[in-house]
Amino acid sequence: MTQPGVNGGPVGTRAVVLGASVAGLLAARVLADHVDEVIIVEGDDVTGSAHGRHRGGAAQGRHLHALMERGRQILEELFPGLTAELAAGGVPAAETLVGTRWYFDGARVAPASTGLTSVLASRPVLEAALRARTLARPGVRLLPGVRAVGLAPAGTTRVAGARIRPLAGDAPARVLAADLVVDATGRGTRGPEWLEELGLARPRADSVDVDLAYASRTYQRRPGELGGDFGVIISTLPGRRGGGAVAQEGDRWIVTLAGMLGDHPPVDPDGYDRFAASLPAGDIHRLIRGAQPLDDPVRYRFRTSRWLRYDRLRPGADGFLAIGDALCAFNPLYAQGMTVAAQQALALRDCLEAATTGLDGLARRYFAAAAGPTSRAWSIATDSDLRYREIPGRRGLRTRVINAYVPRVQAATRADPVLARALLRVVNLVEPSSTLLAPAVLARTARFGLRRIRTLPPNTENG
């Protein structure tokens, strides 16, 4: 009988996580309870202080990030006290809809108590906190300045390690043996190609082309700006332009403007200001008009949402998992990425805890389990994207019904705090989408949504 190792797994078991992203750190944290050794391979040098320092491998790191409430709950479960630790370090927090503003179709959602906490940390600060906590776990270590260039096989159906190479110098690639390899390399993953190079099946990709671009800039934050609120989110729908302004540590605002389907915000300061002035609500433009910029606008482009369907591979590759954007890269407008990665990490934890045969067969069980939360978030995002006629994709009966109904719910939230609370809890992945089909929600929506919804003039309140 195999004896347990120091962390509860078989003696000598090793997991290699490719990428020290949020998803990679969460995977490493979960694995640390079940295998002897976890090695995180990361191309960026992340050994120093990360406050204000952007990791090159996080392409979206300079832009607005939102940690949904369900994601915050999971992080708090895996890293008890994390929310308080971030707050002690100067990270602002607010209750959604109480300390922050949301706009749909140019009209403000009714302020209401939602029970949702918005932790407004920048990406570098959040990653630094997760990295420190993860590396403090027994058996976890980091290999910075190293990148993966392929996988190592064991027989014809199993992955037995990763091929890695230092970024500096000309050292040849070497094999880092592992009982489990987790791909957390983000939306630029080469996992499917690496599997194919070994003669293994590669997953098919479900995709939706959105041609989104962000332009972001930071500003000095002064007391009383935005009426004392901590943030404002202006949805792109039903137009193509939207944006967000959120308070962050260091008395800063991060302001991100967004445009869909090629209608992209400029990165020259004057063009940036004009784009902000064109949004359907004026809060962001009024804010930046009086604030001191701390840098120039920077751009980030996202062309395609993509879900790699490892859950449908028959047979799959044992010993190989994917998590986060390496599994499913969502349209970042909906801020689901970090929260779904956290849900996938919980799926991995549950599979490990239920395992009776060690790591054998883990990949099949994990991909099936992770498909649940991934599918729910994918449906929310892609259904919303398919409201744009220019986006190609199949619009079945369910999608058409949802896209006829949800705008009516959104319109009703401007006057109904109960509906506002229900919708934001679904958006934050705390409640299932079916919540919006409850009889009480349907009845409240019917009071406002039976008439044709017209675009309202820009909301000028609370300037």
Side-chain angles (χ1 to χ4, degrees):
M1 180 176 178
T2 303
Q3 296 299 312
V6 294
N7 292 336
V11 170
T13 51
R14 172 192 283 174
V16 169
V17 178
L18 306 178
S21 60
V22 169
L25 294 169
L26 293 175
R29 162 64 186 88
V30 167
L31 286 164
D33 290 340
H34 296 275
V35 301
D36 270 4
E37 184 181 20
V38 181
I39 301 176
I40 305 171
V41 174
E42 170 56 50
D44 291 324
D45 182 2
V46 292
T47 55
S49 171
H51 282 257
R53 179 179 169 189
H54 296 279
R55 183 169 58 84
Q60 199 190 348
R62 295 179 180 272
H63 303 270
L64 191 156
H65 281 69
L67 179 63
M68 295 297 190
E69 172 65 0
R70 181 58 187 138
R72 188 197 68 82
Q73 292 172 353
I74 295 171
L75 295 189
E76 192 67 26
E77 181 178 348
L78 295 176
F79 304 101
L82 179 66
T83 303
E85 176 186 322
L86 291 170
V91 171
E95 183 178 350
T96 305
L97 289 187
V98 175
T100 60
R101 309 174 185 183
W102 286 64
Y103 286 85
F104 293 119
D105 201 2
R108 185 176 176 181
V109 177
S113 178
T114 59
L116 307 172
T117 301
S118 296
V119 176
L120 307 175
S122 66
R123 177 68 174 262
V125 165
L126 180 60
E127 282 193 3
L130 296 179
R131 187 165 57 247
R133 291 283 199 103
T134 301
L135 293 177
R137 306 293 298 186
V140 180
R141 63 188 177 99
L142 176 71
L143 285 183
V146 176
R147 67 184 177 98
V149 295
L151 299 172
T156 58
T157 61
R158 186 174 184 87
V159 170
R163 296 174 57 242
I164 62 172
R165 176 183 294 141
L167 286 178
D170 55 1
R174 66 180 180 91
V175 172
L176 181 59
D179 302 279
L180 183 69
V181 176
V182 180
D183 181 2
T185 57
R187 65 187 182 97
T189 175
R190 295 195 60 226
E193 289 81 3
W194 292 341
L195 292 175
E196 199 168 46
E197 288 171 1
L198 300 184
L200 301 171
R202 64 181 294 164
R204 85 150 201 257
D206 293 344
S207 61
V208 177
D209 296 327
V210 297
D211 194 10
L212 165 76
Y214 282 169
S216 295
R217 196 176 195 185
T218 57
Y219 295 82
Q220 188 68 44
R221 178 170 168 253
R222 297 174 297 184
E225 289 179 319
L226 203 61
D229 288 336
F230 287 89
V232 54
I233 303 296
I234 301 172
S235 172
T236 56
L237 287 165
R240 298 184 182 184
R241 295 183 174 188
V246 168
Q248 291 187 330
E249 70 281 346
D251 293 323
R252 294 175 298 143
W253 293 107
I254 175 70
V255 178
T256 293
L257 308 180
M260 292 274 287
L261 294 166
D263 185 15
H264 298 160
V267 291
D268 65 284
D270 289 341
Y272 186 86
D273 288 349
R274 287 194 300 270
F275 192 97
S278 74
L279 300 184
D283 303 49
I284 293 176
H285 185 240
R286 287 191 293 273
L287 173 67
I288 67 175
R289 195 171 54 195
Q292 177 187 350
L294 301 177
D295 52 23
D296 292 325
V298 293
R299 174 172 288 167
Y300 169 78
R301 191 168 185 181
F302 181 93
R303 296 180 182 272
T304 304
S305 301
R306 184 181 67 168
W307 183 5
L308 296 172
R309 300 309 302 266
Y310 288 103
D311 57 306
R312 296 188 176 177
L313 275 183
R314 298 292 185 272
D318 217 4
F320 176 82
L321 311 180
I323 191 171
D325 283 0
L327 175 55
C328 186
F330 298 92
N331 181 340
L333 274 180
Y334 307 110
Q336 298 169 318
M338 291 190 292
T339 295
V340 175
Q343 292 176 313
Q344 292 165 353
L346 283 195
L348 175 58
R349 182 194 66 181
D350 293 345
C351 289
L352 288 164
E353 290 179 349
T356 58
T357 57
L359 300 180
D360 292 340
L362 176 65
R364 174 181 54 80
R365 297 192 304 274
Y366 161 74
F367 284 124
T374 305
S375 177
R376 288 189 287 274
W378 178 262
S379 293
I380 291 173
T382 57
D383 284 342
S384 294
D385 287 338
L386 290 173
R387 285 172 63 182
Y388 295 97
R389 295 180 180 178
E390 301 90 337
I391 290 180
R394 181 178 178 274
R395 293 162 174 82
L397 177 61
R398 186 192 66 83
T399 297
R400 295 198 303 273
V401 169
I402 287 173
N403 284 341
Y405 173 63
V406 170
R408 288 163 168 76
V409 179
Q410 292 175 340
T413 62
R414 66 190 68 172
D416 190 328
V418 174
L419 288 179
R421 183 180 191 277
L423 179 60
L424 266 293
R425 289 181 70 83
V426 170
V427 168
N428 275 266
L429 303 179
V430 172
E431 304 285 352
S433 299
S434 58
T435 299
L436 300 181
L437 300 177
V441 174
L442 288 167
R444 300 182 81 96
T445 301
R447 298 175 189 172
F448 301 90
L450 292 178
R451 61 181 174 83
R452 183 182 177 205
I453 296 176
R454 297 188 295 254
T455 301
L456 299 181
N459 190 312
T460 57
E461 66 175 353
N462 299 318

